[in-house]
Amino acid sequence: MDRRCSIHHHIISYLFPSSTSILFLCISFLVFFTTTTNALVRLPENTTVPAIIVFGDSIVDAGNNDDLITEARCDYPPYGIDFDGGVPTGRFSNGKVPTDILAEELGIKPTIPAYRDPNLRQEDLLTGVTFASGGAGYVPLTTQIAGGIPLSQQLKLFEEYIEKLNGMVGQERTTFIIKNSLFVIICGSNDIANNFFSLPTTQLQYNAASFTALMADNARSFATTLYQYGARRILMFGAPPIGCVPSQRTVAGGPTRDCVVRFNDACKLFNAKLSANIDGLSRTLQDTTLIYIDIYDPLLDLILNPQQYGFKVSNLGCCGTGLIEVTALCNNYTAAVCPVRSDYVFWDSFHPTETAYRNIVAKLLQRYLNRFF
């Protein structure tokens, strides 16, 4: 037992005679000293957010794909160049990803680690992990294409997580953590970019309306399942303007690399359906906070008006030429890195920089915080 826990053991034993309570308090005590950060956002009085629990794709993956045979991994330089110590962790950015920043802003801890990280500390389970996987989508075929971890398997890992929590702190505390934590789901980009617009077989089976309806229905089912597990604060993010990310402009934007209108239209169609589904589900599940989060407009604003937010480049990635490099093509051997990452909205040709993420998270907190709690 850690010395700091030993010092307080006789007090804890008197107040909380069960061994489970002692274990929980010791772990909590260590978490306080090792992972807490100064909150930048003031929460309402008597509001507790013990953890952030994350599902989705590469936007919020923190290394769950690192041991998989897939191109959707980035556990090598220059990824992570601005992360703590400049170490690549499997995050698809130069630094932190949105849920890291959200945890930091809410004062929970500096980062949200990957659940499948072999070095994951037991106490991190108490304050949140990410199950997200690069390449994942709401449509199962999307994840199969990329070789990532499908949402169905992410849920199985979550079940395992709940069992571990039960073993650590008991049923009552586990229920409290699940009920009061923020659940963040960010998914959908890969369905649109890598499935619908990349596979002729998918377009033979669906049009944009029916495919985005399938995505939105699967997203609603996923949120319903989380509710059944006890989640009561669920944030469902819409799709970003995929047609304006550098790689899609290069591939389908013509000689002048314009934003691809049909890609963005599909994103907006999905977002409208998802928003309607989530609003309807929220009315049905009256004891929950279930919110659709618009990510499309905040990112599009950064792309179209970069100078307004202190950026210089929004149509190229920082890595390599900025035209197409993502994952394996963004590497230390063949791709140079821009010297000032904060000048760029995008880190690689698909994923934003930490600076862009910080800007977006700040906007979202300002807009949605009073609805979170």
Side-chain angles (χ1 to χ4, degrees):
M1 183 180 294
D2 185 278
R3 181 174 178 272
R4 286 167 295 195
C5 285
S6 297
I7 291 171
H8 294 77
H9 183 273
H10 68 285
I11 299 172
I12 295 169
S13 297
Y14 177 75
L15 295 175
F16 303 97
S18 76
S19 59
T20 298
S21 296
I22 294 170
L23 175 62
F24 169 70
L25 285 173
C26 287
I27 290 173
S28 297
F29 193 75
L30 292 178
V31 168
F32 177 80
F33 274 94
T34 58
T35 63
T36 51
T37 184
N38 292 325
L40 301 179
V41 173
R42 186 182 296 275
L43 295 177
E45 191 174 353
N46 299 321
T47 297
T48 300
V49 184
I52 294 178
I53 299 170
V54 187
F55 300 87
D57 58 24
S58 60
I59 299 298
V60 284
D61 188 355
N64 283 310
N65 283 12
D66 285 359
D67 64 345
L68 301 181
I69 301 173
T70 173
E71 291 185 6
R73 57 185 283 182
C74 55
D75 53 328
Y76 43 79
Y79 285 93
I81 190 171
D82 297 309
F83 197 74
D84 185 23
V87 177
T89 60
R91 287 171 170 82
F92 290 70
S93 185
N94 62 305
K96 292 185 177 184
V97 295
T99 39
D100 295 324
I101 299 165
L102 182 60
E104 177 188 318
E105 295 277 338
L106 295 178
I108 296 172
K109 58 182 175 182
T111 59
I112 300 293
Y115 177 73
R116 298 184 72 247
D117 182 347
N119 298 313
L120 182 71
R121 300 176 304 174
Q122 188 181 37
E123 58 264 29
D124 267 322
L125 299 178
L126 295 167
T127 48
V129 292
T130 176
F131 302 96
S133 169
Y138 284 119
V139 178
L141 177 60
T142 301
T143 317
Q144 291 176 26
I145 295 167
I149 303 169
L151 289 176
S152 58
Q153 182 62 30
Q154 291 182 35
L155 281 175
K156 289 181 180 178
L157 293 174
F158 177 56
E159 290 177 357
E160 182 181 283
Y161 162 83
I162 293 174
E163 290 177 8
K164 289 181 178 179
L165 273 187
N166 272 323
M168 290 172 63
V169 299
Q171 177 86 40
E172 184 177 346
R173 186 65 191 182
T174 296
T175 300
F176 176 87
I177 291 171
I178 300 302
K179 180 180 179 180
N180 291 281
S181 294
L182 277 184
F183 283 75
V184 176
I185 303 94
I186 298 182
C187 208
S189 299
N190 297 311
D191 294 301
I192 293 169
N194 301 335
N195 187 340
F196 183 73
F197 283 112
S198 295
L199 296 182
T201 52
T202 298
Q203 294 197 33
L204 286 174
Q205 189 175 358
Y206 301 94
N207 58 25
S210 59
F211 188 76
T212 53
L214 173 65
M215 290 172 59
D217 289 346
N218 288 352
R220 178 178 54 195
S221 296
F222 191 83
T224 302
T225 301
L226 290 179
Y227 177 86
Q228 292 166 349
Y229 279 116
R232 292 297 181 270
R233 293 172 174 166
I234 304 171
L235 312 181
M236 301 286 295
F237 282 68
I242 293 299
C244 291
V245 305
S247 60
Q248 305 309 306
R249 293 167 80 138
T250 300
V251 170
T256 55
R257 298 183 63 252
D258 297 322
C259 290
V260 187
V261 174
R262 67 184 185 280
F263 289 9
N264 282 352
D265 284 347
C267 292
K268 288 188 284 188
L269 198 56
F270 165 66
N271 290 344
K273 295 175 189 297
L274 177 64
S275 178
N277 279 359
I278 294 307
D279 286 348
L281 184 59
S282 181
R283 287 191 293 272
T284 302
L285 308 177
Q286 295 180 358
D287 64 337
T288 187
T289 300
L290 178 59
I291 304 173
Y292 164 78
I293 305 289
D294 169 33
I295 194 69
Y296 185 100
D297 288 333
L299 180 54
L300 185 63
D301 196 24
L302 289 190
I303 294 169
L304 298 182
N305 305 293
Q307 288 80 14
Q308 184 177 330
Y309 299 99
F311 297 100
K312 295 180 180 178
V313 183
S314 64
N315 64 346
L316 297 170
C318 164
C319 188
T321 65
L323 296 170
I324 202 70
E325 292 87 350
V326 64
T327 60
L329 294 178
C330 176
N331 63 77
N332 265 1
Y333 300 101
T334 63
V337 176
C338 64
V340 184
R341 267 79 70 185
S342 59
D343 284 346
Y344 283 69
V345 172
F346 288 94
W347 158 247
D348 60 21
S349 68
F350 201 84
H351 304 95
T353 58
E354 178 181 326
T355 305
Y357 282 141
R358 286 191 178 279
N359 185 289
I360 292 169
V361 170
K363 282 185 177 182
L364 296 179
L365 282 171
Q366 184 178 15
R367 179 174 178 182
Y368 294 104
L369 185 63
N370 64 341
R371 294 184 61 196
F372 287 178
F373 311 109

